[in-house]
Amino acid sequence: RKEVEQDPGPFNVPEGATVAFNCTYSNSASQSFFWYRQDCRKEPKLLMSVYSSGNEDGRFTAQLNRASQYISLLIRDSKLSDSATYLCVVNDGSRNAGNMLTFGGGTRLMVKP
Amino acid sequence: GAGVSQSPSNKVTEKGKDVELRCDPISGHTALYWYRQSLGQGLEFLIYFQGNSAPDKSGLPSDRFSAERTGGSVSTLTIQRTQQEDSAVYLCASSWGTPGEKLFFGSGTQLSVL
């Protein structure tokens, strides 16, 4: 089993739709969680951190479920510009400092007019 | 500079040749990471530098790969005797130095080994 797993997609949704992605992680001791966004042929950029109580940033909502070991990203009112790959990142505090962050393979989102 | 700078942006080389990839991190960032991303795959950790500490080389796939960071700033990733399976995007990232915090990525070097 991969340490961080994501459905690769693609998720094809119309503009204005609500879409949600899940990401599961295997290490129950994982300490912090992030969503990064990566546009085609570009570098990843931090979208948002994921807090235990859940957090919202505009149209984006991130949630953490420690019992089931997954995090989620909800995007409301999808825009064409939301089309990208969304990377789930988990901080496994038990490893060497450099290797603490484990990246999922990403979920590709395509928003259509 | 304002962001993490990597060069070259593209590198095409022949199998067996050595290549050097450069990363110039954000000024003041003490932590520097190298990752590799193959098509459709997640990021694979290669090596990590933090200040003057010994680098974490646990992700380097073979002894053909090495990296150094001079003066706590610019880093060079060297791949000797390149193989076709080395073809990937090599991404550099830097941060203020707290493990697991936000990373700022460069735009990467697309390496193609023919």
Side-chain angles (χ1 to χ4, degrees), chain B residues 54-110:
Chain B
D56 175 0
K57 304 179 182 180
S58 60
L60 294 178
S62 77
D63 58 8
R64 296 186 295 105
F65 288 72
S66 62
E68 61 178 23
R69 188 178 184 192
T70 54
S73 181
V74 172
S75 177
T76 302
L77 176 69
T78 301
I79 308 174
Q80 295 178 310
R81 305 180 302 282
T82 51
Q83 303 295 312
Q84 288 184 330
E85 60 262 28
D86 298 335
S87 297
V89 176
Y90 289 80
L91 289 161
C92 174
S94 69
S95 72
W96 291 109
T98 303
E101 66 179 337
K102 176 181 178 178
L103 301 185
F104 295 82
F105 283 87
S107 55
T109 294
Q110 172 73 64

Side-chain angles (χ1 to χ4, degrees), chain A residues 15 37 39 59-60 78-84 86 109 111:
Chain A
E15 269 187 294
R37 170 192 169 130
D39 292 298
R59 298 181 293 108
F60 298 82
S78 299
K79 311 292 184 190
L80 295 177
S81 57
D82 294 334
S83 298
Y86 292 84
L109 171 66
V111 181

Side-chain angles (χ1 to χ4, degrees), chain A residues 10-21 75 78-80 82-83 109-113:
Chain A
F11 284 58
N12 294 296
V13 303
E15 269 187 294
T18 294
V19 61
F21 314 131
I75 305 174
S78 299
K79 311 292 184 190
L80 295 177
D82 294 334
S83 298
L109 171 66
M110 298 179 69
V111 181
K112 301 293 178 63

